[in-house]
Amino acid sequence: MQERDGSPPGDPSSGAPTRAEIERIYRTQSRRVLATLIRLLGDFDLAEEALHDAFMAAVQQWPRDGLPANPRAWLVSAGRFKAIDGLRRRARFDASLSLLADELDNQAEPEWERDDLEDDRLRLIFTCCHPALPADAQVALTLREVCDLKTEEIARAFLASPSTVAQRIVRAKQKIRDAAIPYRVPTRDELPARLDSVLRVIYLVFNEGYSASCGSELIRADLSGEAIRLARLLLGLLPDPELMGLLALMLLHDSRRAARTDDAGDLVRLDEQDRSRWNPEQIAEGAALVQRALASRRIGPYTLQAAIVAVHAEAPSAAQTDWSQIVGLYELLLRINPSPVIELNRAVALAMRDGAEAGLELIDELLDRGELRNYHLLHSARADFCRRLGRLPEARDAYRAALALAQLEPEKRFLQQRLDELNGAD
């Protein structure tokens, strides 16, 4: 039985760890420890407090006693018993806490070799992305609890105030507690629908980093990097073909990061990018994942999007891009995932294959339907097609419409530059 000071038993390994080693263990193990503590204690806030107390105890005891043989097990046990002791101390103000402490104390000691300990990370991801939570709360809670981003970092990334993000996280935890949302991996029957929610959250995080929705910077590498890290973690625990497709899609997009802006931070179009600055390791890894996902024959929208980006990535130059293959992939994507944005992307690909007139016809159909009337990229694409066809007054009007709708400063500068070029052509 563990001592009541929160120090688990066991022979410490030889040598006292340095503060840097303890910090490394925190970086690599804290989210795993937290996930297990949430399962054992049944409460996010209690588990976070227990995690903090466990590492405080480690900082005090490990330099003196040596590194435990299993630091993660030590930290979970320390956190669990620190939480129980804390509940007993507070029980004099709330009798229900004494009952909770007794209940936790009567639980069997965790068995460190069970698969449950790895599954705890999956449980945490699926709980944070539960469809009963609002979408913005899913994103905030995932970044906070799974990725260990601070509230201020999440707020900066999504241009929200720290208090707003904190409220989202608090409300999400309350919803999980009050609605008794189960802390578990979905069953096989539930998994497809639940996995969709997780993948959507990961891709939302990536997109906000890859191409911010507004603000002064086009790219937030820290956010896109967190999304890739999260997808890698999930794929290591759950080898699903569509998850492979999503990771491939993010890697292939991210491989172009260094070439997407110039030294002034201005946008560089895909066909004008210096392909020698693309990351070949990410392209190779992404392409291999696409092939694995396609070979499974369980092909979803993320895999098809990744296949499209792979065609771009593997073309030696913009002029050598296989636009026929890209058009075909977009047509298949539209069949399984109808979307006006995908229709717009197909129109751009069709214009590259068959000429601007063919693309403009589809763009005008989308405009008439009205679904993307307030989407700046639709007007930007129309402006480009009209410019290529010599219909300059229409091109100017479309660039002005796109400029009025754009929120991101680099995109605004790009559109203004195109408009100035047209005005100068007179």
Side-chain angles (χ1 to χ4, degrees):
M1 185 69 179
Q2 181 181 348
E3 297 299 326
R4 278 300 178 191
D5 66 354
S7 306
D11 296 329
S13 62
S14 60
T18 65
R19 183 65 177 258
E21 287 175 304
I22 297 174
E23 289 175 355
R24 180 189 60 78
I25 291 171
Y26 179 86
R27 288 193 303 272
T28 58
Q29 297 294 328
S30 64
R31 296 301 100 185
R32 295 182 177 193
V33 173
L34 177 65
T36 299
L37 286 171
I38 292 172
R39 172 169 61 86
L40 295 175
L41 301 175
D43 183 272
F44 274 79
D45 292 333
L46 187 59
E48 288 172 353
E49 183 180 344
L51 175 70
H52 173 77
D53 289 344
F55 271 98
M56 288 293 292
V59 167
Q60 294 169 1
Q61 296 178 41
W62 289 359
R64 181 189 68 217
D65 301 336
L67 188 69
N70 188 335
R72 180 179 166 198
W74 192 102
L75 290 162
V76 171
S77 288
R80 177 173 177 265
F81 280 100
K82 291 285 187 183
I84 293 170
D85 286 345
L87 289 172
R88 293 205 189 284
R89 284 195 301 272
R90 296 197 293 269
R92 55 182 175 168
F93 303 109
D94 185 344
S96 64
L97 295 180
S98 179
L99 296 175
L100 178 57
D102 290 341
E103 182 180 336
L104 293 174
D105 204 9
N106 290 330
Q107 290 178 352
E109 280 284 311
E111 298 176 24
W112 306 115
E113 302 305 320
R114 290 188 319 192
D115 289 342
D116 273 354
L117 294 178
E118 278 306 309
D119 287 346
D120 283 336
R121 291 193 291 172
L122 271 180
R123 289 186 179 96
L124 181 56
I125 293 170
F126 277 102
T127 302
C128 290
C129 298
H130 196 282
L133 302 176
D136 56 1
Q138 291 179 31
V139 172
L141 192 62
T142 300
L143 288 174
R144 180 71 195 91
E145 305 300 335
V146 180
C147 299
D148 198 24
L149 266 65
K150 295 181 174 59
T151 302
E152 293 76 11
E153 293 174 313
I154 303 169
R156 274 201 307 273
F158 291 91
L159 300 178
S161 68
S163 61
T164 297
V165 171
Q167 287 171 3
R168 289 174 187 168
I169 293 172
V170 168
R171 285 196 294 265
K173 291 176 181 176
Q174 289 174 341
K175 176 73 173 180
I176 290 169
R177 182 173 60 249
D178 296 345
I181 290 174
Y183 186 69
R184 62 175 175 82
V185 178
T187 64
R188 185 176 295 275
D189 291 340
E190 297 170 325
L191 192 56
R194 290 291 306 280
L195 184 59
D196 284 347
S197 178
V198 173
L199 299 187
R200 180 183 56 80
V201 168
I202 294 174
Y203 199 40
L204 278 172
V205 173
F206 176 81
N207 274 333
E208 192 60 34
Y210 178 76
S211 185
S213 54
C214 54
S216 60
E217 295 181 357
L218 178 69
I219 299 169
R220 281 291 312 275
D222 53 343
L223 269 187
S224 53
E226 282 296 336
I228 290 171
R229 184 170 72 88
L230 186 54
R232 285 191 196 281
L233 165 66
L234 191 55
L235 186 59
L237 301 170
L238 187 70
D240 178 85
E242 188 65 341
L243 178 53
M244 290 178 198
L246 174 59
L247 179 55
L249 176 61
M250 295 190 296
L251 285 168
L252 290 165
H253 273 314
D254 196 58
S255 71
R256 305 197 299 248
R257 176 170 18 113
R260 291 183 61 226
T261 55
D262 60 19
D263 293 340
D266 287 331
L267 179 67
V268 179
R269 285 168 47 121
L270 176 61
D271 59 345
E272 298 172 347
Q273 289 176 13
D274 178 359
R275 297 187 177 216
S276 68
R277 300 183 67 193
W278 291 2
N279 186 311
E281 289 80 13
Q282 286 183 305
I283 291 173
E285 183 183 359
L289 284 166
V290 170
Q291 292 303 317
R292 286 175 59 195
L294 291 173
S296 74
R297 299 192 179 279
R298 290 170 52 200
I299 300 171
Y302 292 115
T303 298
L304 285 174
Q305 290 177 73
I308 291 167
V309 183
V311 175
H312 284 293
E314 294 171 346
S317 67
Q320 294 171 280
T321 303
D322 187 345
W323 288 107
S324 292
Q325 186 178 1
I326 289 175
V327 170
L329 287 167
Y330 271 125
E331 288 171 351
L332 182 56
L333 181 58
L334 275 170
R335 283 192 219 125
I336 67 172
N337 188 35
S339 158
V341 173
I342 295 172
E343 289 184 63
L344 170 59
N345 292 336
R346 176 181 173 273
V348 173
L350 196 69
M352 297 303 296
R353 189 189 73 177
D354 299 342
E357 190 71 53
L360 185 60
E361 183 179 342
L362 295 179
I363 291 283
D364 286 341
E365 288 176 10
L366 281 169
L367 266 176
D368 289 342
R369 278 160 44 191
E371 294 164 288
L372 297 180
R373 194 164 290 156
N374 293 323
Y375 188 46
H376 71 284
L377 293 179
L378 176 70
H379 296 281
S380 176
R382 189 178 195 282
D384 185 56
F385 296 160
C386 289
R387 178 184 60 81
R388 287 159 57 184
L389 292 167
R391 295 160 58 169
L392 300 190
E394 290 180 72
R396 288 191 195 90
D397 289 343
Y399 276 129
R400 291 189 188 102
L403 191 57
L405 293 167
Q407 298 293 316
L408 195 62
E409 290 301 325
E411 288 186 328
K412 288 182 178 181
R413 292 196 297 270
F414 173 81
L415 293 167
Q416 186 63 59
Q417 181 183 359
R418 290 294 195 193
L419 185 57
D420 292 344
E421 289 170 358
L422 284 184
N423 290 333
D426 288 340

